[in-house]
Amino acid sequence: MERIFQPALSRRRFLQASAASGATAVVVGGQTLRETQAQAAPAAKPETKITKNICHQCPARCGIDVYTTNGKVHAIYGNTDHPIANGKLCPKGPLGTYILYDPDRFKGPMKRTNPKKGRGEDPKFVPITWDEALQTVADRLNTLRDKGESHRFALIYGRGWGASCAGLQGDFGALYGSPNVAIGHSSMCSDGSIKSKQATDGNGSYNAHDFRNTNYLLMFGCGFLEAFRPYNYLMQMWGHMRSKSPKTRVTAVDVHMNTTLAASDRALLIKPGTDGALALAIAHVILTEGLWEKSFVGDFADGVNRFKAGQAVDPASFNEKWVRGLIEWWNIELKDRTPKWAEGVTTIFERDILATAREFGSTRPAMAIFERGVHAHSNGIYNGMAVHSLNALVGSLYAKGGMMYQMGPSYGPMPVKAGDFMDDYARNGAWKSQPRIDLKGHEDGYLMANNMLQEVGPNTLAGKPYKLDTIMFYLSNPVWTAPNGQVWEKALEELFVIDTSPFPGETAMMADLILPDHTFLERLQDAPTYPFEGWPLAQLRVPAIKPLYDTKYYGDTLIEIGKRIKGPMGEYYNALKDSENVIRHLAKGFESDPGDNGVNSFESWVEKGVWYKKRYPWQQRNGEFYEWDGKAYAREMTPEQVKAQLLKTPSGKFEFRSGWLESKADWIAAKTGRDKANLMFPHWEEPKHPGGGDMYMVTPKVALHAEGRGGNIPQAISLLQPVLGGRDQVYIEINPQTAQRKGIADGDRVRIKSSVGEIEGHVRLYEGVRPDTLVFPMEHGHWAQGRWAQGRGPGHCGEITVNQSDRITGQCNYYSTKVSIEKA
Ligand SMILES: Nc1nc2c(c(=O)[nH]1)N[C@H]1C(S)=C(S)[C@@H](COP(=O)(O)OP(=O)(O)OC[C@H]3O[C@@H](n4cnc5c(=O)[nH]c(N)nc54)[C@H](O)[C@@H]3O)O[C@H]1N2
Ligand SMILES: Nc1nc2c(c(=O)[nH]1)N[C@H]1C(S)=C(S)[C@@H](COP(=O)(O)OP(=O)(O)OC[C@H]3O[C@@H](n4cnc5c(=O)[nH]c(N)nc54)[C@H](O)[C@@H]3O)O[C@H]1N2
Ligand code: SF4
Ligand SMILES: [Mo]
């Protein structure tokens, strides 16, 4: 790949070529990246080249063109041929150069020399060689394995990207023998959404959406114009939806007037944790007023609507089509969920609930979407199920203008099979009987959850179920991003900690070893799309320059550690060779399934940066499911095909009566105290608010927020709250009435307390926030991460957030804590 690092064209020829074709290709040669990295031949005269990559700052995965002149990256634009970016970026995209040139980056592998750990304790890192670093890790892992304690090694990851990084971890765990390799951050992110969908339509995943063709959007607790995903694409879709004919009408529900609510047709400020009640009342109206989509849901045998408030219905009178349990749901829950009742719970006026329900129920196609505002509460699974059920009632599943699920790319197989390299210990070792440290999948823990990252710190500290020995992190910083991260600080004091971050985050400050990753502009990495429009798409990060420092791509760090583990595991990683070999094998899948843009090889993938196939193979139309036959959605699907491909529930239908929840009903009832009669239906459950205060506290994402990774980008931080004017700091939004009652004036310094901690900050009076709620973004209050992040703004909201999770979904209830506020 030698020529990646050399200008493909001279600057003059580049200008000519781009004027003529509108696009420039990078030509790829035969050398491996490693060979090229060994050569350092700076170009003599100013010459510009463009490499393909994807932005690293949020899960939108926008394709970018990276402009490099004489070995210096100086500009990032949206890739015009990339279906998510379409030549555009959100305000963070171009700031990617500042990530590459961040002056606070780690410059190479290091070990800690200060045995004391903790906040304010200088780790006194000293440089070591990669060989020493990798061997130190391998020695520890070999020793643990020899002692039969391999389960005491945990690998934690956050934003995994693809098969060549996070995708390698599962095999590492299986070959080495640890149930804790790897534990992802999904429960600290948005598993509540995934599990609500698993419970109702059988797809444990985020939805993909056809926003382009929808005519009504009902949004609950999702930052459509500041977060959700893919953010940049959503802003493009917003422009389309709001200017097409007919214009897409929008109702948005939140706890404060954010950009999304301000731009919507109707903005509803709801009491935190009560979205389920609102959704149930909307369902009630859709049924009593006969607005449901009969072709999808079914109808009364005689066509006469028997849904009347407070009155039970005979199940035998209704013929269900693609849904299960509608009449039972009505009888046990919905019949009493009138708009008047919901007004009492949500504080939203009955007339607004009625108007919203009528609009939503009588416009097709319509979609109800939700995210963390709805499910980051103790009752999140039921709130989420109630909202998603609205999509079934109006028939938007797999419909034009509706929602579907994201397909994966046609990747080729790995170079070698891990299964061929398992020794006896990997197959039958003592580790097999050890629970996961986070008690995922465990009767006494979280039987139904995907991950429980927020429990890892507290559990190892308490030695329940055991103490870890060694813990390694990839793109995850729980000391800062976990609720009540102070516990993690304590937990990491007693473990051997390895961080792969290129930056000095809070978790890195607790590390014994730093094995720094390349930044995203320096590495070759694959990344299939996050849920988008459903059809498959896979991007590639192509290095723009040679790594600035002595860093190593995380995928190769893992492979190199693997090579140093004794026995067949080491042989496996030697056969795997390196991450580039893995990616070349993935790309072989494109040879037999070329993308719409002609990508059919590793070389063409490097050149275009993206492979995609724009046809989603299935569509639901008027209550029938069809498969694309090459010309049209015309091949009718059998119920068995629908169940296998689309509605993956036990019944093969959308389940108001959830078979998945029912299958674990005894466990749910015993462990969570829920009622066995209704725990399988979307129903109203009072949220639990820990923390002990009188004010709700909500910490939404804002446009300039880059998950937990943007704190050291001065431009992003200074524009974080454009409306409220936060510059060197972030303001806490407080309603003027509340402020007056508490004797707090605009700009005052305040103290916010919960049962787990207290922080200080400055308030801004804002009429757009509910009087019972404080709102401020989480991207501030760092005590590490670099010169611009440190000591900026108020304390970190995570320190006053109580670690409460729902036992079913495992979702961390970030928006549930109640706090008190007083003048500091
Ligand atoms: N710009 C940007 N976009 C991102 C990211 C980023 O870092 N920056 N990160 C991505 C990631 S990792 C995720 S998980 C997604 C999250 O995407 P979202 O879930 O859409 O974002 P959040 O800001 O967590 O929550 C959405 C809204 O819920 C509101 N809310 C809180 N409690 C309640 C409630 O009880 N009811 C209602 N109705 N609303 C409530 C908040 O005020 C907030 O406006 O965003 C992704 N997109
Ligand atoms: N209080 C509060 N906390 C929250 C939330 C909230 O709403 N409120 N939201 C939650 C959500 S939705 C999410 S998704 C999580 C995210 O939380 P985490 O999963 O912890 O992820 P990040 O904070 O984005 O990044 C973690 C680490 O990655 C490192 N890093 C940056 N770039 C690279 C790289 O190129 N390579 C490697 N190897 N490392 C890198 C950074 O230095 C940082 O230490 O936070 C959650 N935490
Ligand atoms: S931050 Fe997200 S939305 Fe913005 S350009 Fe990057 S990937 Fe796209
Ligand atoms: Mo997230």
Side-chain angles (χ1 to χ4, degrees):
M1 294 193 59
E2 168 194 24
R3 286 203 259 167
I4 283 183
F5 297 123
Q6 290 169 2
L9 297 168
S10 74
R11 185 169 153 72
R12 230 183 86 237
R13 280 194 47 225
F14 160 70
L15 291 171
Q16 289 165 344
S18 40
S21 69
T24 310
V26 179
V27 188
V28 188
Q31 258 179 314
T32 70
L33 272 180
R34 192 158 298 110
E35 283 162 346
T36 339
Q37 285 165 7
Q39 304 162 357
K45 49 183 183 325
E47 289 182 293
T48 298
K49 71 185 171 69
I50 302 170
T51 43
K52 302 293 177 184
N53 208 302
I54 60 166
C55 178
H56 194 265
Q57 295 172 79
C58 90
R61 309 194 166 187
C62 299
I64 53 176
D65 284 347
V66 184
Y67 283 66
T68 305
T69 301
N70 273 7
K72 277 267 182 299
V73 175
H74 55 89
I76 294 176
Y77 292 96
N79 176 350
T80 46
D81 303 321
H82 189 278
I84 299 173
N86 297 305
K88 301 166 187 78
L89 294 177
C90 91
K92 295 188 294 298
L95 302 179
T97 49
Y98 292 87
I99 295 173
L100 171 66
Y101 294 115
D102 184 329
D104 299 315
R105 276 182 66 174
F106 292 139
K107 310 288 191 293
M110 299 188 294
K111 69 176 177 199
R112 181 183 202 96
T113 57
N114 180 0
K116 279 229 216 85
K117 283 187 184 177
R119 215 188 279 208
E121 213 46 79
D122 180 349
K124 301 218 166 76
F125 288 129
V126 297
I128 52 173
T129 63
W130 270 104
D131 198 50
E132 182 184 344
L134 297 166
Q135 199 55 49
T136 306
V137 180
D139 287 348
R140 286 195 80 89
L141 298 197
N142 279 321
T143 306
L144 278 176
R145 203 174 195 260
D146 289 345
K147 287 195 291 188
E149 293 183 8
S150 53
H151 61 283
R152 296 179 62 209
F153 170 58
L155 177 54
I156 307 294
Y157 71 108
R159 182 61 53 218
W161 295 99
S164 68
C165 62
L168 298 173
Q169 299 169 154
D171 285 342
F172 194 101
L175 290 167
Y176 175 67
S178 175
N180 301 314
V181 177
I183 301 177
H185 79 174
S186 60
S187 57
M188 283 175 27
C189 181
S190 215
D191 264 351
S193 162
I194 286 170
K195 291 295 184 183
S196 300
K197 286 162 190 171
Q198 181 166 348
T200 46
D201 69 28
N203 291 272
S205 176
Y206 300 133
N207 276 107
H209 301 94
D210 181 13
F211 290 120
R212 206 180 300 275
N213 291 302
T214 202
N215 288 328
Y216 201 95
L217 204 49
L218 176 54
M219 312 201 275
F220 296 79
C222 66
F224 199 86
L225 293 178
E226 41 271 299
F228 205 52
R229 39 188 118 65
Y231 173 48
N232 170 18
Y233 161 84
L234 296 177
M235 291 193 288
Q236 298 169 41
M237 281 302 111
W238 185 266
H240 173 80
M241 288 188 293
R242 304 292 276 168
S243 56
K244 76 178 176 61
S245 179
K247 176 179 173 180
T248 307
R249 303 242 330 144
V250 181
T251 290
V253 188
D254 207 289
V255 300
H256 73 149
M257 183 66 72
N258 58 10
T259 317
T260 309
L261 263 67
S264 299
D265 297 303
R266 182 184 293 108
L268 302 175
L269 292 188
I270 195 167
K271 184 169 159 194
T274 67
D275 293 77
L278 175 59
L280 292 169
I282 292 172
H284 175 100
V285 175
I286 289 173
L287 293 181
T288 54
E289 303 203 352
L291 302 176
W292 74 91
E293 177 56 47
K294 299 185 174 87
S295 71
F296 186 84
V297 176
D299 201 358
F300 288 99
D302 58 7
V304 179
N305 186 2
R306 289 176 182 73
F307 294 120
K308 303 228 159 40
Q311 292 182 25
V313 169
D314 173 10
S317 62
F318 195 95
N319 296 325
E320 291 180 332
K321 197 160 175 198
W322 289 109
V323 300
R324 171 178 185 251
L326 177 67
I327 304 302
E328 292 163 282
W329 184 32
W330 169 265
N331 289 343
I332 199 167
E333 182 69 18
L334 281 186
K335 68 177 176 19
D336 304 317
R337 299 308 175 211
T338 60
K340 186 82 216 149
W341 166 83
E343 176 180 303
V345 178
T346 62
T347 73
I348 293 174
F349 293 127
E350 179 185 16
R351 62 163 190 272
D352 288 328
I353 301 176
L354 264 175
T356 304
R358 285 173 182 152
E359 279 174 17
F360 176 78
S362 58
T363 311
R364 303 278 194 278
M367 266 193 276
I369 62 172
F370 70 94
E371 212 54 42
R372 299 176 74 239
V374 166
H375 67 64
H377 292 282
S378 61
N379 54 2
I381 175 100
Y382 296 112
N383 291 343
M385 287 169 70
V387 174
H388 196 39
S389 293
L390 299 177
N391 292 310
L393 290 179
V394 299
S396 62
L397 285 129
Y398 300 100
K400 190 172 174 187
M403 59 228 305
M404 70 299 285
Y405 286 91
Q406 184 60 45
M407 299 169 70
S410 301
Y411 274 171
M414 293 287 276
V416 275
K417 278 207 205 86
D420 298 340
F421 295 82
M422 307 268 275
D423 62 7
D424 224 39
Y425 184 83
R427 283 215 173 78
N428 307 307
W431 70 279
K432 283 271 184 191
S433 55
Q434 293 291 346
R436 251 180 47 152
I437 182 74
D438 59 353
L439 294 179
K440 166 219 155 126
H442 198 275
E443 287 276 334
D444 296 330
Y446 299 83
L447 190 63
M448 307 168 83
N450 286 350
N451 286 295
M452 288 309 300
L453 179 52
Q454 65 272 33
E455 298 302 316
V456 172
N459 285 6
T460 180
L461 187 62
K464 284 185 188 155
Y466 44 79
K467 282 203 184 271
L468 292 171
D469 173 271
T470 302
I471 190 165
M472 178 160 158
F473 294 93
Y474 172 51
L475 264 159
S476 175
N477 182 19
V479 170
W480 199 74
T481 49
N484 192 16
Q486 301 96 308
V487 175
W488 279 80
E489 286 175 45
K490 285 265 158 293
L492 296 191
E493 277 178 28
E494 51 183 50
L495 303 182
F496 189 84
V497 179
I498 304 152
D499 196 9
T500 61
S501 174
F503 306 102
E506 285 75 10
T507 301
M509 288 303 105
M510 305 297 291
D512 295 275
L513 266 187
I514 301 286
L515 310 184
D517 201 356
H518 298 329
T519 66
F520 73 114
L521 296 178
E522 301 165 304
R523 65 195 192 222
L524 181 73
Q525 181 172 45
D526 74 296
T529 187
Y530 238 57
F532 166 51
E533 291 184 355
W535 38 269
L537 181 152
Q539 303 101 319
L540 196 64
R541 290 202 162 108
V542 180
I545 54 167
K546 290 192 300 134
L548 289 177
Y549 305 111
D550 188 17
T551 52
K552 193 182 286 296
Y553 174 45
Y554 167 75
D556 287 314
T557 293
L558 209 58
I559 291 171
E560 290 303 317
I561 294 170
K563 286 178 185 172
R564 289 163 170 83
I565 304 294
K566 291 185 279 186
M569 178 166 175
E571 291 163 32
Y572 168 74
Y573 285 100
N574 277 308
L576 211 56
K577 200 170 153 224
D578 58 24
S579 62
E580 184 172 336
N581 187 39
V582 170
I583 293 170
R584 284 177 181 272
H585 277 80
L586 301 177
K588 282 188 200 294
F590 303 156
E591 288 170 13
S592 50
D593 193 14
D596 292 355
N597 58 349
V599 167
N600 61 358
S601 62
F602 175 71
E603 285 74 18
S604 50
W605 199 16
V606 167
E607 181 191 320
K608 300 250 168 84
V610 56
W611 167 97
Y612 58 86
K613 307 271 285 188
K614 267 199 177 177
R615 178 73 56 197
Y616 196 67
W618 308 283
Q619 190 184 66
Q620 180 262 122
R621 210 166 56 238
N622 300 323
E624 303 299 334
F625 285 86
Y626 301 93
E627 202 168 358
W628 183 254
D629 70 0
K631 290 199 188 87
Y633 291 104
R635 197 181 299 133
E636 215 172 306
M637 294 171 76
T638 64
E640 292 70 33
Q641 288 169 327
V642 171
K643 178 177 162 134
Q645 305 278 17
L646 304 175
L647 296 171
K648 299 176 183 167
T649 54
S651 65
K653 296 178 169 193
F654 186 98
E655 299 188 339
F656 299 122
R657 179 184 185 118
S658 169
W660 181 64
L661 292 177
E662 212 166 356
S663 73
K664 300 278 187 290
D666 289 337
W667 181 84
I668 297 170
K671 302 293 178 184
T672 73
R674 286 171 170 128
D675 183 352
K676 265 179 90 171
N678 70 355
L679 60 76
M680 65 290 270
F681 295 99
H683 67 274
W684 171 239
E685 182 178 282
E686 282 289 342
K688 294 191 190 80
H689 294 286
D694 61 335
M695 300 287 293
Y696 300 102
M697 177 185 69
V698 167
T699 58
K701 302 201 162 179
V702 287
L704 268 294
H705 180 138
E707 302 195 88
R709 307 189 292 275
N712 209 39
I713 302 176
Q715 296 89 333
I717 279 285
S718 67
L719 292 170
L720 206 63
Q721 287 177 302
V723 177
L724 293 185
R727 288 181 69 82
D728 274 347
Q729 64 186 322
V730 154
Y731 283 116
I732 297 150
E733 295 174 18
I734 186 167
N735 187 283
Q737 291 169 27
T738 314
Q740 197 186 24
R741 195 157 46 77
K742 293 183 181 278
I744 295 170
D746 196 32
D748 270 358
R749 191 158 178 86
V750 293
R751 191 172 301 116
I752 312 181
K753 288 188 199 165
S754 76
S755 56
V756 296
E758 59 176 78
I759 60 169
E760 291 192 0
H762 290 87
V763 291
R764 181 119 285 176
L765 269 48
Y766 180 48
E767 287 85 353
V769 62
R770 284 179 60 93
D772 55 5
T773 308
L774 299 175
V775 173
F776 55 114
M778 69 171 269
E779 185 86 277
H780 64 277
H782 281 281
W783 53 269
Q785 216 188 42
R787 67 192 68 184
W788 291 288
Q790 243 159 287
R792 182 180 288 265
H796 172 43
C797 58
E799 293 185 18
I800 50 174
T801 303
V802 178
N803 182 13
Q804 169 182 286
S805 306
D806 174 42
R807 286 288 284 275
I808 301 177
T809 64
Q811 175 67 46
C812 175
N813 300 162
Y814 279 106
Y815 299 158
S816 277
T817 299
K818 286 186 95 170
V819 296
S820 62
I821 183 167
E822 64 196 21
K823 221 171 137 151

